[in-house]
């Protein structure tokens, strides 16, 4: 029984270095190093930067310094944001997922009622919203579609 905590710790440590698979890419990227930062100098880690080939591939941030990750950014090979995941109300659960192409926002997905399921989809092209879909009865299917 004494070995179980060690095995779990090793498993979690190994998983900490695996990033992905990222949304839609189907690729798994392995980090070479995790660089921890204390952004507010309180002695606790607030930022985790995962690097591969000396570039940041993923960043996890505790923006409000409560010990929980609030923002996750995944970067492409050109260091442009590819994915962004946010906990906008700081309750410890992610509620906003954003996808980027070449650093430009293309899809913003929101869990507006905080039930763990996406119910708003906002489609963007060259910085302009062109379509919004809303799941108003929270069954996973959008009932309202607005096109611009």
């Amino acid at each position: 029984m004494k070995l179980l905590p060690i095995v779990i710790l090793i498993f979690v440590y190994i998983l900490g270095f695996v990033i992905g698979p990222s949304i839609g890419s189907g690729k798994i990227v392995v980090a070479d190093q995790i660089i921890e930062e204390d952004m507010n100098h309180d002695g606790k880690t607030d930022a985790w930067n995962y690097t591969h080939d000396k570039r940041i591939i993923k960043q996890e941030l505790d923006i409000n310094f409560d010990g929980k990750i609030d923002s996750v950014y995944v970067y492409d090979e050109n260091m442009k944001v590819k994915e962004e995941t946010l906990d906008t109300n700081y309750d410890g659960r992610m509620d906003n997922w954003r996808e980027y192409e070449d650093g430009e926002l293309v899809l913003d997905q929101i869990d507006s009622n905080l039930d763990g399921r996406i119910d708003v989809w906002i489609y963007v092209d060259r910085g302009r919203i062109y379509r919004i879909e809303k799941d108003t009865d929270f069954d996973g299917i959008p009932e309202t579609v607005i096109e611009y």
Side-chain angles (χ1 to χ4, degrees):
M1 272 302 185
K2 290 184 179 183
L3 256 133
L4 186 58
I6 293 170
V7 171
I8 292 171
L9 182 62
I10 291 170
F11 181 73
V12 169
Y13 181 77
I14 291 169
L15 279 180
F17 279 92
V18 176
I19 313 303
S22 55
I23 299 171
S25 73
K27 295 193 305 186
I28 295 177
V29 178
V30 179
D32 300 322
Q33 182 180 17
I34 301 174
I35 301 167
E36 297 181 351
E37 294 180 53
D38 178 6
M39 296 186 299
N40 64 345
H41 308 289
D42 67 352
K44 299 175 187 171
T45 301
D46 310 305
W48 297 262
N49 296 299
Y50 297 79
T51 64
H52 180 70
D53 292 337
K54 298 182 181 180
R55 66 177 177 82
I56 296 175
I57 57 173
K58 181 178 179 180
Q59 189 175 49
E60 298 175 334
L61 304 172
D62 175 9
I63 300 297
N64 65 341
F65 311 115
D66 67 350
K68 300 175 193 165
I69 294 171
D70 310 306
S71 304
V72 178
Y73 301 92
V74 177
Y75 300 95
D76 66 16
E77 57 279 348
N78 298 313
M79 287 294 303
K80 293 182 179 179
V81 175
K82 182 169 61 171
E83 302 166 20
E84 179 181 21
T85 307
L86 306 169
D87 175 6
T88 60
N89 66 342
Y90 305 111
D91 68 350
R93 298 184 332 167
M94 298 302 186
D95 50 53
N96 190 214
W97 299 264
R98 295 177 179 162
E99 295 180 31
Y100 295 80
E101 289 179 7
D102 199 29
E104 297 288 324
L105 179 65
V106 293
L107 178 60
D108 192 0
Q109 302 171 95
I110 303 166
D111 174 10
S112 68
N113 67 341
L114 307 174
D115 68 351
R117 296 172 47 175
I118 296 167
D119 49 61
V120 177
W121 298 262
I122 302 171
Y123 297 88
V124 182
D125 183 31
R126 292 177 290 223
R128 184 174 89 50
I129 295 171
Y130 68 89
R131 181 182 177 105
I132 299 174
E133 299 176 355
K134 293 183 181 181
D135 175 9
T136 54
D137 63 4
F138 309 110
D139 65 353
I141 300 167
E143 286 75 37
T144 304
V145 177
I146 303 168
E147 295 197 22
Y148 299 94

